[in-house]
Amino acid sequence: MQTVGILGGGQLARMLALAGAPLGLRFLVVDSAIEACASQVAPLVRADWRDFDALADFARRIDVATFDFENVPAETAQWLAGRTRVFPNPGALAVSQDRLAEKLLFRDVGLGTPAFATVDSRADLEAAINTVGLPCVLKTRRLGYDGKGQRVLRSRADADSAWQLLGSSPLILEAFIPFTREVSVIGVRSRSGEFRHYPLTRNWHVDGILSVSLAPAPDATALEHAAIAHARAIAERLDYVGAFALELFDVDGQLLGNEIAPRVHNSGHWTIEGAVCSQFENHLRAVLDLPLGDTSARGVSVMLNWVGALPEAAAILREAGAHWHDYGKDSRAGRKVGHATVCADEDATLRLRLESVGQALGREWQVAPAIEALTQ
Ligand code: AMP
């Protein structure tokens, strides 16, 4: 019986623990919040990232440590790696915590990025606008997620307010990309170097937060080839172990790297019911050095995120091919509190199911982009 320790006790840790139960795994979760939702399904060590006494005890009780949260301080990950096995490795975590390091890595493996410049002063911001052009996006280099820590600049007049909002942290200015679509690839690499990937996923964001994922992404064969080659090159360069997401902008058939998430990812939640072996199970297999599972899609799936509050469950539960996930979290604006995955054997059936779910929930706006993509 092996015990997997997870740093961070949110919905990702919760779904990892649920995926690991059939494999006979035990879990121990660290989080500073007593209400961390993974604690409903796995024991919780309540500690913050600098509580080294609690973390030493945690390290003694587990066989391997992994992450639900990528912003665990790199020093904590490094410290822990001196006491137990930690996957992904702290170096890989550090790269993904810094938007600059991430972009340099992308360019190193031949993946283009939006034009960018670092910004450490108000004068840098003016110079960066000159180099990058308008419109552009000012982002904190660290600790940004779900559209937090970023501001779009449409004209020079927006620079002052963006600087006032974000200027206390190291920043990066990126060109605003008028992408054709957003896609992601979930890759997984095991301790022995085995690499697998899920089919390319198409994603739609609302206010910087993932709203809908459709997998496999329609009409994406050529893109998929390139996306997977990049994902694999990044994983090998980082000696990465575990599941990860590479988020990409498709600009008229050319891919640009946006970011990597060094963990299981929201755009891979559809794999729970929509793939033969889910990203969660494969992450566990990877960090435990077990053979990786089949990443093929079973038919076609759409994941709908519930942000802020849950809609009525019954409308999902009564729909054929639909699956309900309630993370056990309190409602709060901007917070991911659950998702649903709607699966079908073929596009036409999935469209009908999405129409039915959209109407029943009064969320036609949310299902519309996926229905449109399935119709083309
Ligand atoms: P991020 O936290 O960087 O993944 O940004 C969240 C979302 O904001 C992305 O998925 C995009 O929808 C949008 N976004 C971020 N950066 C850019 C960019 N440079 N150009 C256009 N849209 C962007």
Side-chain angles (χ1 to χ4, degrees):
M1 175 82 67
Q2 298 203 75
T3 301
V4 178
I6 307 178
L7 293 130
Q11 67 269 18
L12 302 180
R14 179 184 171 107
M15 288 185 270
L16 282 169
L18 293 172
L23 300 177
L25 301 174
R26 298 265 169 105
F27 291 85
L28 191 60
V29 170
V30 187
D31 201 295
S32 57
I34 188 88
E35 71 278 8
C37 73
S39 71
Q40 296 161 18
V41 301
L44 173 75
V45 173
R46 197 174 169 205
D48 68 34
W49 307 130
R50 316 258 176 211
D51 183 348
F52 294 106
D53 289 340
L55 290 172
D57 183 48
F58 167 74
R60 275 192 295 274
R61 294 166 62 193
I62 61 175
D63 297 289
V64 60
T66 189
F67 305 90
D68 136 296
F69 177 65
E70 72 255 48
N71 288 316
V72 170
E75 317 82 77
T76 299
Q78 197 68 57
W79 180 91
L80 204 58
R83 284 158 183 81
T84 187
R85 293 189 167 105
V86 177
F87 299 112
N89 67 68
L93 196 71
V95 169
S96 67
Q97 286 175 349
D98 180 351
R99 290 187 189 273
L100 174 63
E102 219 168 45
K103 285 189 167 53
L104 295 175
L105 170 68
F106 290 166
R107 291 191 169 181
D108 237 31
V109 300
L111 171 59
T113 69
F116 67 87
T118 54
V119 173
D120 294 310
S121 67
R122 184 66 181 80
D124 282 358
L125 179 54
E126 285 307 317
I129 295 172
N130 291 338
T131 346
V132 166
L134 286 160
C136 51
V137 195
L138 188 62
K139 299 182 176 181
T140 55
R141 276 174 57 180
R142 297 176 169 277
L143 299 173
Y145 66 99
D146 286 348
K148 293 189 179 72
Q150 51 183 276
R151 200 62 179 245
V152 176
L153 277 66
R154 305 216 169 263
S155 73
R156 280 188 184 273
D158 296 332
D160 270 333
S161 61
W163 176 254
Q164 268 162 27
L165 188 74
L166 304 172
S168 54
S169 314
L171 302 170
I172 192 164
L173 188 75
E174 289 176 22
F176 184 88
I177 304 300
F179 49 75
T180 321
R181 52 186 171 171
E182 285 192 89
V183 293
S184 60
V185 51
I186 308 287
V188 57
R189 185 169 177 270
S190 75
R191 272 158 60 179
S192 42
E194 184 184 1
F195 178 84
R196 293 200 184 207
H197 61 85
Y198 290 90
L200 200 68
T201 301
R202 179 156 180 195
N203 303 309
W204 289 266
H205 292 77
V206 174
D207 297 332
I209 305 181
L210 185 66
S211 174
V212 180
S213 292
L214 164 62
D219 303 323
T221 321
L223 278 189
E224 186 168 59
H225 208 71
I228 287 155
H230 290 309
R232 184 176 195 140
I234 289 166
E236 285 171 1
R237 183 68 64 91
L238 294 173
D239 192 18
Y240 192 92
V241 172
F244 66 98
L246 172 61
E247 295 183 65
L248 299 154
F249 300 134
D250 164 16
V251 190
D252 296 327
Q254 200 211 329
L255 289 173
L256 296 180
N258 177 28
E259 62 178 354
I260 36 175
R263 50 173 169 75
V264 285
H265 189 252
N266 200 167
S267 69
H269 289 0
W270 65 269
T271 63
I272 297 175
E273 296 90 3
V276 177
C277 181
S278 77
Q279 64 164 349
F280 299 97
E281 179 171 339
N282 257 335
H283 180 73
L284 296 168
R285 291 187 188 210
V287 304
L288 292 165
D289 207 17
L290 299 169
L292 297 181
D294 186 349
T295 49
S296 321
R298 309 172 191 260
V300 54
S301 301
V302 162
M303 190 252 5
L304 303 169
N305 247 3
W306 309 138
V307 178
L310 293 170
E312 185 215 341
I316 298 293
L317 297 174
R318 82 168 59 93
E319 185 65 49
H323 306 271
W324 177 252
H325 294 261
D326 173 348
Y327 304 152
K329 292 160 89 170
D330 291 336
S331 301
R332 191 198 295 159
R335 189 181 218 196
K336 292 173 179 170
V337 291
H339 75 268
T341 303
V342 187
C343 305
D345 290 339
E346 48 178 25
D347 293 3
T349 314
L350 184 57
R351 269 197 324 257
L352 290 175
R353 289 179 178 170
L354 286 173
E355 276 164 13
S356 161
V357 164
Q359 271 168 21
L361 295 175
R363 296 174 78 98
E364 289 89 346
W365 59 269
Q366 192 175 14
V367 297
I371 291 174
E372 193 191 326
L374 287 164
T375 309
Q376 281 160 4

mmCIF file of all heavy atoms in Angstrom, residues 4 33 59 77 92 99 111 113 118 132 161 165 187 193 200 206 211 219 225 250 253 290 310 368:
data_model
loop_
_atom_site.group_PDB
_atom_site.id
_atom_site.type_symbol
_atom_site.label_atom_id
_atom_site.label_comp_id
_atom_site.label_asym_id
_atom_site.label_seq_id
_atom_site.Cartn_x
_atom_site.Cartn_y
_atom_site.Cartn_z
ATOM 1 N N VAL A 4 0.406 8.581 -1.406
ATOM 2 C CA VAL A 4 0.799 9.722 -2.233
ATOM 3 C C VAL A 4 0.482 10.993 -1.444
ATOM 4 O O VAL A 4 -0.662 11.189 -1.007
ATOM 5 C CB VAL A 4 0.015 9.725 -3.567
ATOM 6 C CG1 VAL A 4 0.380 10.949 -4.405
ATOM 7 C CG2 VAL A 4 0.283 8.435 -4.350
ATOM 8 N N ALA A 33 -5.823 25.542 4.592
ATOM 9 C CA ALA A 33 -7.252 25.824 4.816
ATOM 10 C C ALA A 33 -7.970 24.577 5.309
ATOM 11 O O ALA A 33 -7.911 23.527 4.664
ATOM 12 C CB ALA A 33 -7.896 26.301 3.516
ATOM 13 N N ALA A 59 6.410 14.323 5.099
ATOM 14 C CA ALA A 59 7.369 13.588 4.253
ATOM 15 C C ALA A 59 7.600 12.168 4.780
ATOM 16 O O ALA A 59 7.758 11.228 3.998
ATOM 17 C CB ALA A 59 8.691 14.351 4.182
ATOM 18 N N ALA A 77 9.509 23.048 -2.255
ATOM 19 C CA ALA A 77 9.591 21.842 -3.084
ATOM 20 C C ALA A 77 11.006 21.255 -3.015
ATOM 21 O O ALA A 77 11.199 20.043 -2.884
ATOM 22 C CB ALA A 77 9.222 22.183 -4.518
ATOM 23 N N ALA A 92 11.408 21.869 -12.638
ATOM 24 C CA ALA A 92 10.305 21.989 -13.603
ATOM 25 C C ALA A 92 9.229 22.906 -13.033
ATOM 26 O O ALA A 92 8.659 23.741 -13.739
ATOM 27 C CB ALA A 92 9.727 20.609 -13.908
ATOM 28 N N ARG A 99 6.583 33.303 -15.887
ATOM 29 C CA ARG A 99 6.171 33.414 -17.296
ATOM 30 C C ARG A 99 7.352 33.689 -18.222
ATOM 31 O O ARG A 99 7.306 33.326 -19.392
ATOM 32 C CB ARG A 99 5.115 34.506 -17.448
ATOM 33 C CG ARG A 99 3.769 34.159 -16.827
ATOM 34 C CD ARG A 99 2.735 35.212 -17.158
ATOM 35 N NE ARG A 99 1.489 35.038 -16.430
ATOM 36 C CZ ARG A 99 0.469 34.267 -16.834
ATOM 37 N NH1 ARG A 99 0.564 33.592 -17.948
ATOM 38 N NH2 ARG A 99 -0.633 34.186 -16.115
ATOM 39 N N LEU A 111 9.155 26.390 -30.096
ATOM 40 C CA LEU A 111 7.744 26.786 -30.061
ATOM 41 C C LEU A 111 7.677 28.308 -29.978
ATOM 42 O O LEU A 111 8.254 28.899 -29.053
ATOM 43 C CB LEU A 111 7.058 26.143 -28.833
ATOM 44 C CG LEU A 111 5.639 26.609 -28.503
ATOM 45 C CD1 LEU A 111 4.670 26.350 -29.672
ATOM 46 C CD2 LEU A 111 5.116 25.881 -27.245
ATOM 47 N N THR A 113 6.208 32.144 -29.381
ATOM 48 C CA THR A 113 5.427 32.747 -28.289
ATOM 49 C C THR A 113 4.936 34.105 -28.784
ATOM 50 O O THR A 113 5.470 34.648 -29.755
ATOM 51 C CB THR A 113 6.287 32.996 -27.024
ATOM 52 O OG1 THR A 113 7.223 34.040 -27.331
ATOM 53 C CG2 THR A 113 7.030 31.756 -26.572
ATOM 54 N N THR A 118 10.163 42.090 -20.707
ATOM 55 C CA THR A 118 10.006 42.158 -19.248
ATOM 56 C C THR A 118 9.838 43.615 -18.832
ATOM 57 O O THR A 118 10.346 44.529 -19.492
ATOM 58 C CB THR A 118 11.221 41.555 -18.518
ATOM 59 O OG1 THR A 118 12.382 42.203 -19.005
ATOM 60 C CG2 THR A 118 11.330 40.068 -18.768
ATOM 61 N N VAL A 132 6.560 45.776 -28.212
ATOM 62 C CA VAL A 132 5.558 44.721 -28.366
ATOM 63 C C VAL A 132 4.384 45.204 -29.211
ATOM 64 O O VAL A 132 3.794 44.429 -29.966
ATOM 65 C CB VAL A 132 5.088 44.267 -26.954
ATOM 66 C CG1 VAL A 132 3.827 43.444 -27.014
ATOM 67 C CG2 VAL A 132 6.200 43.505 -26.250
ATOM 68 N N SER A 161 -3.125 52.963 -15.335
ATOM 69 C CA SER A 161 -3.962 52.171 -14.417
ATOM 70 C C SER A 161 -3.424 50.739 -14.309
ATOM 71 O O SER A 161 -3.428 50.143 -13.233
ATOM 72 C CB SER A 161 -5.425 52.185 -14.862
ATOM 73 O OG SER A 161 -5.528 51.618 -16.138
ATOM 74 N N LEU A 165 -2.066 48.974 -10.846
ATOM 75 C CA LEU A 165 -2.634 47.711 -10.369
ATOM 76 C C LEU A 165 -1.557 46.645 -10.153
ATOM 77 O O LEU A 165 -1.573 45.896 -9.174
ATOM 78 C CB LEU A 165 -3.659 47.214 -11.404
ATOM 79 C CG LEU A 165 -4.487 46.012 -11.004
ATOM 80 C CD1 LEU A 165 -5.539 46.417 -9.975
ATOM 81 C CD2 LEU A 165 -5.170 45.412 -12.240
ATOM 82 N N GLY A 187 -0.116 16.136 -21.624
ATOM 83 C CA GLY A 187 0.898 15.100 -21.790
ATOM 84 C C GLY A 187 1.138 14.441 -20.447
ATOM 85 O O GLY A 187 0.806 14.999 -19.398
ATOM 86 N N GLY A 193 10.429 7.514 -18.222
ATOM 87 C CA GLY A 193 10.563 8.246 -19.482
ATOM 88 C C GLY A 193 9.501 7.916 -20.518
ATOM 89 O O GLY A 193 9.534 8.438 -21.633
ATOM 90 N N LEU A 200 -5.760 16.481 -28.762
ATOM 91 C CA LEU A 200 -5.803 17.927 -28.598
ATOM 92 C C LEU A 200 -7.202 18.362 -28.143
ATOM 93 O O LEU A 200 -8.207 17.836 -28.632
ATOM 94 C CB LEU A 200 -5.470 18.575 -29.939
ATOM 95 C CG LEU A 200 -4.992 20.023 -29.898
ATOM 96 C CD1 LEU A 200 -3.626 20.113 -29.234
ATOM 97 C CD2 LEU A 200 -4.893 20.580 -31.330
ATOM 98 N N VAL A 206 -13.834 32.477 -20.370
ATOM 99 C CA VAL A 206 -14.674 33.646 -20.114
ATOM 100 C C VAL A 206 -14.015 34.399 -18.961
ATOM 101 O O VAL A 206 -13.774 33.808 -17.897
ATOM 102 C CB VAL A 206 -16.127 33.238 -19.742
ATOM 103 C CG1 VAL A 206 -16.936 34.455 -19.332
ATOM 104 C CG2 VAL A 206 -16.805 32.518 -20.909
ATOM 105 N N SER A 211 -14.040 28.008 -19.491
ATOM 106 C CA SER A 211 -15.491 27.817 -19.424
ATOM 107 C C SER A 211 -15.896 26.479 -20.034
ATOM 108 O O SER A 211 -16.684 25.737 -19.446
ATOM 109 C CB SER A 211 -16.185 28.973 -20.164
ATOM 110 O OG SER A 211 -17.571 28.762 -20.249
ATOM 111 N N ASP A 219 -11.101 19.057 -36.491
ATOM 112 C CA ASP A 219 -10.236 19.580 -37.565
ATOM 113 C C ASP A 219 -8.854 19.990 -37.059
ATOM 114 O O ASP A 219 -8.388 21.094 -37.346
ATOM 115 C CB ASP A 219 -10.857 20.827 -38.227
ATOM 116 C CG ASP A 219 -12.242 20.531 -38.765
ATOM 117 O OD1 ASP A 219 -12.417 19.413 -39.266
ATOM 118 O OD2 ASP A 219 -13.121 21.405 -38.656
ATOM 119 N N HIS A 225 -0.263 17.307 -34.342
ATOM 120 C CA HIS A 225 1.063 16.747 -34.561
ATOM 121 C C HIS A 225 2.130 17.674 -33.961
ATOM 122 O O HIS A 225 3.004 17.255 -33.209
ATOM 123 C CB HIS A 225 1.251 16.610 -36.069
ATOM 124 C CG HIS A 225 2.179 15.532 -36.414
ATOM 125 N ND1 HIS A 225 1.840 14.209 -36.260
ATOM 126 C CD2 HIS A 225 3.452 15.579 -36.891
ATOM 127 C CE1 HIS A 225 2.865 13.475 -36.628
ATOM 128 N NE2 HIS A 225 3.849 14.272 -37.006
ATOM 129 N N ASP A 250 -3.813 29.015 -31.347
ATOM 130 C CA ASP A 250 -3.737 28.681 -32.769
ATOM 131 C C ASP A 250 -4.042 29.960 -33.540
ATOM 132 O O ASP A 250 -5.143 30.501 -33.427
ATOM 133 C CB ASP A 250 -4.758 27.575 -33.078
ATOM 134 C CG ASP A 250 -5.045 27.424 -34.566
ATOM 135 O OD1 ASP A 250 -4.271 27.942 -35.385
ATOM 136 O OD2 ASP A 250 -6.053 26.770 -34.898
ATOM 137 N N GLY A 253 -3.482 28.432 -37.952
ATOM 138 C CA GLY A 253 -2.710 27.210 -38.193
ATOM 139 C C GLY A 253 -1.301 27.235 -37.632
ATOM 140 O O GLY A 253 -0.583 26.246 -37.698
ATOM 141 N N LEU A 290 4.505 3.382 -12.645
ATOM 142 C CA LEU A 290 3.700 2.278 -13.162
ATOM 143 C C LEU A 290 3.532 2.479 -14.673
ATOM 144 O O LEU A 290 3.689 3.604 -15.160
ATOM 145 C CB LEU A 290 2.322 2.281 -12.484
ATOM 146 C CG LEU A 290 2.343 2.090 -10.961
ATOM 147 C CD1 LEU A 290 0.967 2.390 -10.364
ATOM 148 C CD2 LEU A 290 2.784 0.673 -10.623
ATOM 149 N N LEU A 310 -22.916 26.355 -8.380
ATOM 150 C CA LEU A 310 -23.355 25.181 -9.144
ATOM 151 C C LEU A 310 -24.732 25.436 -9.745
ATOM 152 O O LEU A 310 -25.589 26.003 -9.073
ATOM 153 C CB LEU A 310 -23.477 23.971 -8.208
ATOM 154 C CG LEU A 310 -22.203 23.427 -7.595
ATOM 155 C CD1 LEU A 310 -22.551 22.398 -6.516
ATOM 156 C CD2 LEU A 310 -21.325 22.789 -8.659
ATOM 157 N N ALA A 368 -23.061 27.090 -26.522
ATOM 158 C CA ALA A 368 -23.111 27.524 -27.935
ATOM 159 C C ALA A 368 -21.783 27.361 -28.692
ATOM 160 O O ALA A 368 -21.782 26.834 -29.809
ATOM 161 C CB ALA A 368 -23.609 28.968 -28.018
#
